[in-house]
Amino acid sequence: MSGNLVIVESPAKAKTIGKFLGSDFVVASSMGHIRDLEKKGLAVDLAHGYTPKYVITDDKKKVVAELKQQAAKADAVWLASDEDREGEAIAWHLADVLHLDPATTKRIVFHEITRDAIVNAVKTPRSIDFNLVNAQQARRVLDRIVGFEVSPVLWHKVKPALSAGRVQSVAVRLIVDREREIFNFQVQSAYRVTALFLTDNSELAAELNRRFDTKEAAADFLQKCIDAVFTVADIATKPTRRTPAAPFTTSTLQQEASRKLGFSVSQTMTVAQRLYESGKITYMRTDSVNLSDMAMAAAKAAIIAIMGEKYYKRRQYQTKTKGAQEAHEAIRPTDMTRDNITGTAPEKRLYNLIWKRTVASQMADAEMERTTINIKSSKSPELFQAVGEVIKFDGFLKVYMESSDNEDDSAEAKEILPAVQVGQILHLDSASATERFTQKPPRYSEASLVKKLEEQGIGRPSTYAPTITTIQNRGYIVKDDRAGTERHYTQLSLKDAQIIERILKETTGAEKAKLFPTDIGIVVNDFLMKYFPRIMDYNFTANVEVELDEIAAGKLVWNKVIDEFYHPFHENVEAAMEHSERMKGERMLGKDPETGKPVIVKIGRYGPVAQIGEGSDADDKPRYASLRPGQILENLTLEEVLDLFKLPREIGTYEGKKVSASIGRFGPYILHNSKFVSLPKTDDPYSVNLERAIELIEAKREKDQNSLLKTFEAEPDLRVINGRFGAYINFRKKNYKLPKGTDIPTLTLDDCKKIIGEAPDVPAKTATKKTATKKTTAKATTKTATKKAATKKTATKKTSAAKK
């Protein structure tokens, strides 16, 4: 091969770029990062400037070998990875691993994959920006050090197999703090008064400009309304304007896609990546709201062509995000004339959202007229207010309106108000005083958590989605729907000079796709807050991001920044390992009324558990019960825990066999005739009845029967079953995989026995051995970390002595 080799990160990106370059160019893909820190050990040389120890990952060895062959035959190599820090690091790793000659190696960047952008990039190559590389390297090393040194402390003091992270732990803290705010929130009530007035030929709804703290005060006010005269006190009309939101950044795209499309943060980034790599949108990791002159001109042309000149208004937005690092544009379509694209349904929906937001950002204000009518009473000083809003010119609202995370916004009236005059007497048709309650702080959704992280300066566009995914995968938080609880409230209604009191009920506190901390997440958070307050501090985490920005700008030296962090941090780790107390989230709630034994909740071997008794003797073993969904250790009461021990609960009998409901290690279930039937999320083991249990038992039987492919009279215990991952043999409580291509209809008993006989024999003790190995490895890793740290400390002391 001769000519030019262009290396990008993904095959999709390579395919799109290949369309724009001539036959002299071959475009290849590195499939992302080709090397990373060694998985074994710390992989950072503490004694020599925190030098990272990189290895080519196993899945990339073949890719690297192919790229080496192609690079050796090329006259010039063009590194065209993304233009952010991760992309710059990929370019550097490629240059280093492929031993590329700087004289024939060129770095090109672009923020959109279009013909003009690619051709322009080829005309203006540059060298690798080592400031960006070092900023990425500093983040990677810092995160490895924190995770590697803090995680063993958690294994010893909380629970094995836990992990900590510089950004992920702070994100968990936000969710735990919010959960405690909600738990400690004191709900207060007040009475909201609304009224319906009649004009000559219309109705006018209004609300009192104050609320009453008690039912008695509200009733007294309604009593005064019975023979009061209501008059229009004044009418205020004023014009208002609404301006469009700025074009999308990574953060605002994630938030709006969540609110409008129901996408998770990671789904948004996956779909956006596909749109970028296929040349449909600009680069999707950015905190800039800037649009190029070319993009604004294209938006102008599209707006005028579709809607007319009066809908256009040029706007130049300025990035206000704290610590914004990216120099490229906001996220926008590469072709403003296309409001729709071909592709998958998610791609079409996300693209359309981006197109609308970009176009709306260059459109005229929406013009409204807001009218407020104040109505006075002859018997009291309070005023009723009616508010209406009329759109005089829709402007950008013709295309797009931004959503809000605030679930508690009480929508004001938007209807046109009837024509009335100052001094006009209105007839009171009806009025009501309804008990309303203060709202607890809302739990975070993925979108609102991204917004909070950005406001706090924690993380960057490239880290929001991975952080949220990581803390869910670690089991520290869950994204869940929760049913609300029933609440009673009082309503006083005035109609025809009579006041009627009613007690009504409503459901409150229902949650959809919200983030909840798990018990282990809360315990880990509390441990880190107690023993590692510095790395859990919001300002410290944000300041680290600022320092990484300064490394990227060439203002700080990356390993000096790491060094300043490491020494006090490592001392903190050693002190925590030596002096910290074990933490299980354990709470003693009281005594069991029946036995007098202590009732405890804690983190057990398999997660949160309730326990009655502490005895270890065979005759006095503790009783255990799993928690119900939504319950967390620190909020449980003695009564709630005692209810958990009502399981297993006998429901009745079916076919002469007892039917019971309970909760096991894998969730709630029905037990009948020694067979387990899982309970769906919609069923509660504490309340499921016999009729429903029989329905589930029969459904399970039907499913098992349909999955049964073959049986043999001569060997009743041997069955061929169609499972989730294909057909298999089940014999004496063991499963055996069928060879690929096995013809089930012709399968004989002898064939099955042969397959069973040739199956590898896995000793029962293997699992125990693996567990023991894990524990030994954990201990060895911790000892190694401590030993390395001690060596580093000694080396530091020697260096200091030598300097003196």
Side-chain angles (χ1 to χ4, degrees), residues 746-767:
T746 61
L747 193 67
T748 65
L749 180 59
D750 289 339
D751 293 335
C752 292
K753 286 183 175 179
K754 183 180 178 182
I755 291 167
I756 293 169
E758 293 175 352
D761 186 24
V762 182
K765 292 183 180 178
T766 302

Side-chain angles (χ1 to χ4, degrees), residues 165-181 444 449 452-453 456 458 471 476-477 517 521-522 524-526 528-529 532-541:
R166 183 181 59 84
V167 176
Q168 75 179 50
S169 298
V170 177
V172 172
R173 180 190 167 188
L174 283 168
I175 295 163
V176 172
D177 286 352
R178 178 56 57 87
E179 195 67 25
R180 286 178 171 149
E181 278 183 67
Y444 289 110
L449 182 59
K452 186 67 175 178
L453 290 170
Q456 296 276 9
I458 299 168
I471 59 179
Y476 293 153
I477 65 166
I522 292 171
V524 168
N525 175 76
D526 291 349
L528 295 176
M529 285 294 293
F532 294 92
R534 187 176 178 225
I535 64 169
M536 294 295 285
D537 182 73
Y538 297 136
N539 290 329
F540 169 76
T541 309

Side-chain angles (χ1 to χ4, degrees), residues 177-189 408 436-443 487 508 635:
D177 286 352
R178 178 56 57 87
E179 195 67 25
R180 286 178 171 149
E181 278 183 67
I182 293 168
F183 179 71
N184 295 320
F185 185 82
Q186 298 296 317
V187 176
Q188 296 178 326
S189 65
D408 305 324
R436 293 293 79 206
F437 303 88
T438 50
Q439 298 292 317
K440 296 177 181 181
R443 288 184 173 88
R487 176 172 68 189
T508 181
N635 298 345

Side-chain angles (χ1 to χ4, degrees), residues 36 42 49 100 112 176 182 211 256 270-271 330 337 424 752 785:
D36 196 4
L42 178 60
L100 299 180
E112 63 182 39
V176 172
I182 293 168
R211 296 195 178 192
E256 198 72 340
T270 299
V271 176
T337 62
Q424 181 176 341
C752 292

